[in-house]
Amino acid sequence: MTMKTVLLSGLAVMCAGTVVAAELPRPKNIVMILADDVGWGDLSCYGAKAVSTPHCDRLAKEGGRFTDAHSPASTCTPTRYAIMTGQYAWRKPGTGIATGDAGLLIDPSRATLPSMLKKAGYVTGAVGKWHLGLGPGPGKTDWNTEIVPGPREIGFDYSFLIPATGDRTPCVYVENQRVVGLEADDPMEVSFKLGQDNYPGELDGRKNRDQLKLDWDYGHHFAVVNGIGRIGYMKGGTKARWVDEDMADTLAAKSVAFIERNKDKPFFLYFATHDIHVPRVPHPRFVGKTDMGARGDAIVQFDFQVGEVLDALDRLGLTDDTLVIVTSDNGPVLNDGYKDFAVQKRGDHRPAGDFRGQKYSAYEGGTRVPYLVRWPKQVKAGGVSDSLVCLIDSYATFAAMTGQALGQDDAPDSFDLAAALLDPAAKGRDTLILQDPDISLRQGQWKLIPAKKNQDAPLGVADGVVGNPDLFLKGGVDTGAARTPQLYDLSGDLREANNLAGQHPERVAEMLTALQDARAKGRTRP
Ligand code: NG6
Ligand code: CA
């Protein structure tokens, strides 16, 4: 079906006034590549000059590039929770940045993006960073046996995971819910009861700081694995521990192997790279590829992984009928706790483009992320779309494309944006709720960041510095938290420098009510 017939059939349904989904084209395969902490301005197809990302640029040339796409949160776990469930993570307490010993955060009894696609006939695979918890949880997850519940219980046929993040223990891969390379006589234990020293006999980031190959700046001084301090403790599993420098190759190879194994079936691959999260320790062949140090080189390494997937699709003749999406879980960060000199070596590079804010921030830079969509059979090459779209919409959009009806309680905040994905001229969302540090609201051109919920808590950035949109580039954390509401008109103020809340109290009140309604109703999907 061509783009025109998609739109026509959508129109026919609207005229008939029924709720039956329009017939949409169905991709043979779906590949979603989720980068970690890659900002709007970090790819050359989004204007970066200090780094070249030819594989991402190829996607932009052969598909569509979105300029107003958002991760649902400015940190990782809530974004991933929302992608998998189609539910805003702020509805479910306990879905903030997860520790390495967290239990599975998604209730296996609920429908998920992978379980929906499995029903639709796709073989489903997750490779890379998980950060959604594994097993029963703190103190109870046993890393020495099969770890249940995990990705299989929420719909993934195959998984090869970094359990939490690269900077958190356990620093081992988990394939199909078993630690890879674990030896029976060297069992593993993991703890996030931080404060004391690492397990006896294990290196400790404070006591053994002189032995580190990458020094920590803050927060990463507990267990030491591969010469790098981590958050959390671990003991045992010595032979199973990963080598950070090989991680990109390992994850790309596992992704390609999944594609090869399933080349004759429809498949859904969720490939969540570790790059460019800290610790940024790219393979030696990428070191020095940019003048920005480890953070820039990690972007090149990220792009290499995209290239490995695209090459595999080419080689297997799957390119034409595979929907490929490349995006990121939250905005960029420079110093995230290791001395890799990302701030000092940034040069003129602007990781969040011209947007204000960063990872952890309510400003645009926190959630406005690269979003590339290629599907040669259906998506026009070289299109640029300024439609408002969100990663949380993957669920309803893929459901629509694969003809799956959504149950009333499924994916309560996910919108079917198939039309917007396929056609840059089609409209996306009107409204979107974004999270972290609290929740904020986009309504068309307007953006409301309500006053900080906990008025007694210290501010990331005080009200008075609302006029300092460059804080992030100088190494600060520009969270957007303030004692009073902030209202920005993005149509004339993409930098969110001019707070109009005082001039438009009625709009502020209206938008606060909209947020309350969304909370009270438990859903935003019509
Ligand atoms: C923070 C960590 C940061 C990073 C982040 C999660 C400290 C001081 N900082 O708490 O280094 O791990 O969590 O990043 O520990 S995310 O992309 O997975 O959300
Ligand atoms: Ca992240």
Side-chain angles (χ1 to χ4, degrees):
M1 192 188 283
T2 64
M3 192 53 240
K4 227 183 230 154
T5 43
V6 172
L7 291 178
L8 285 177
S9 56
L11 206 64
V13 166
M14 273 161 50
C15 295
T18 81
V19 288
V20 179
E23 194 195 325
L24 284 162
R26 176 182 164 119
K28 164 124 194 302
N29 312 296
I30 301 174
V31 175
M32 181 169 184
I33 303 181
L34 185 68
D36 200 347
D37 299 357
V38 165
W40 195 97
D42 276 328
L43 306 178
S44 36
C45 49
Y46 279 82
K49 297 277 184 290
V51 58
S52 166
T53 53
H55 302 293
C56 290
D57 298 1
R58 176 185 167 195
L59 285 174
K61 208 167 122 218
E62 296 176 356
R65 182 172 73 86
F66 287 71
T67 60
D68 198 4
H70 290 257
S71 56
S74 64
T75 55
C76 168
T77 301
T79 282
R80 287 161 207 249
Y81 177 87
I83 292 173
M84 293 299 164
T85 62
Q87 180 188 44
Y88 285 132
W90 47 264
R91 295 196 192 280
K92 169 132 180 179
T95 53
I97 299 174
T99 57
D101 64 347
L104 182 67
L105 298 176
I106 298 170
D107 176 358
S109 70
R110 76 173 301 144
T112 64
L113 171 65
S115 72
M116 180 275 295
L117 286 173
K118 200 170 143 82
K119 244 207 227 149
Y122 290 77
V123 177
T124 54
V127 174
K129 172 167 162 177
W130 185 241
H131 213 187
L132 287 168
L134 285 175
K140 287 186 242 137
T141 296
D142 181 357
W143 301 93
N144 304 292
T145 179
E146 190 177 51
I147 304 160
V148 180
R152 190 179 51 226
E153 284 64 42
I154 64 155
F156 281 113
D157 296 308
Y158 172 76
S159 59
F160 183 94
L161 308 177
I162 296 167
T165 61
D167 63 347
R168 277 171 178 71
T169 61
C171 302
V172 294
Y173 297 118
V174 174
E175 187 167 32
N176 292 327
Q177 301 178 210
R178 284 183 187 273
V179 172
V180 179
L182 186 67
E183 296 180 314
D185 60 356
D186 187 23
M188 273 175 61
E189 236 176 86
V190 172
S191 164
F192 275 73
K193 286 191 192 118
L194 306 180
Q196 74 281 44
D197 295 333
N198 199 3
Y199 291 98
E202 299 284 351
L203 287 173
D204 178 90
R206 275 171 294 204
K207 286 201 287 194
N208 308 106
R209 196 166 184 179
D210 54 332
Q211 294 179 42
L212 299 177
K213 68 174 159 195
L214 171 64
D215 196 9
W216 48 268
D217 191 12
Y218 52 85
H220 298 87
H221 50 64
F222 303 96
V224 175
V225 173
N226 188 32
I228 300 168
R230 318 279 169 163
I231 311 170
Y233 298 115
M234 77 178 283
K235 80 167 187 191
T238 313
K239 287 266 171 61
R241 297 178 183 198
W242 65 49
V243 174
D244 303 74
E245 291 84 339
D246 296 336
M247 204 174 255
D249 285 320
T250 302
L251 298 183
K254 292 290 173 184
S255 295
V256 168
F258 174 83
I259 293 173
E260 281 168 348
R261 277 199 305 280
N262 296 295
K263 65 179 171 24
D264 298 323
K265 309 177 193 138
F267 61 79
F268 167 57
L269 170 65
Y270 168 76
F271 177 14
T273 69
H274 169 255
D275 288 307
I276 60 168
H277 199 278
V278 296
R280 304 170 185 126
V281 204
H283 187 272
R285 72 184 188 280
F286 295 109
V287 173
K289 287 285 172 201
T290 69
D291 293 330
M292 292 191 288
R295 187 176 184 279
D297 299 345
I299 297 175
V300 179
Q301 183 169 269
F302 165 71
D303 188 62
F304 151 76
Q305 291 163 94
V306 172
E308 289 296 285
V309 169
L310 299 187
D311 285 355
L313 296 175
D314 288 345
R315 196 166 59 240
L316 299 169
L318 300 175
T319 299
D320 274 359
D321 210 2
T322 298
L323 168 65
V324 178
I325 293 179
V326 168
T327 185
S328 181
D329 72 333
N330 51 249
V333 58
L334 290 167
N335 184 350
D336 212 9
Y338 291 96
K339 292 188 179 166
D340 61 10
F341 307 106
V343 177
Q344 294 83 344
K345 295 184 175 173
R346 178 182 66 82
D348 294 329
H349 179 65
R350 301 179 73 91
D354 284 333
F355 299 104
R356 178 174 185 179
Q358 58 173 111
K359 177 178 181 178
Y360 310 119
S361 168
Y363 296 120
E364 289 292 287
T367 59
R368 205 187 270 237
V369 288
Y371 194 84
L372 302 166
V373 178
R374 186 189 73 177
W375 181 6
K377 262 197 177 166
Q378 299 291 342
V379 176
K380 206 179 110 212
V384 178
S385 169
D386 62 1
S387 301
L388 180 61
V389 301
C390 180
L391 275 57
I392 200 171
D393 300 318
S394 313
Y395 194 139
T397 302
F398 297 165
M401 286 176 170
T402 59
Q404 297 300 296
L406 295 181
Q408 176 65 11
D409 296 332
D410 300 347
D413 299 301
S414 183
F415 289 17
D416 165 12
L417 297 185
L421 251 50
L422 299 176
D423 177 8
K427 232 170 99 38
R429 283 169 164 266
D430 290 319
T431 68
L432 175 63
I433 301 177
L434 297 156
Q435 93 175 74
D436 289 340
D438 294 332
I439 58 173
S440 50
L441 177 66
R442 252 305 278 286
Q443 253 181 10
Q445 79 216 57
W446 296 98
K447 165 98 166 268
L448 176 78
I449 306 175
K452 203 171 162 50
K453 252 193 316 209
N454 180 356
Q455 290 278 318
D456 298 328
L459 291 170
V461 178
D463 230 354
V465 261
V466 162
N468 178 14
D470 277 337
L471 188 70
F472 157 55
L473 296 178
K474 297 185 181 124
V477 186
D478 194 11
T479 65
R483 303 260 184 244
T484 56
Q486 297 168 67
L487 178 73
Y488 297 105
D489 177 357
L490 298 179
S491 68
D493 180 23
L494 274 176
R495 291 282 283 146
E496 295 168 282
N498 190 14
N499 183 4
L500 301 175
Q503 278 149 265
H504 298 282
E506 62 312 313
R507 185 174 294 281
V508 171
E510 227 173 80
M511 290 176 82
L512 284 172
T513 307
L515 278 175
Q516 270 162 16
D517 281 356
R519 211 186 261 282
K521 287 202 178 100
R523 61 184 298 125
T524 48
R525 182 165 64 81

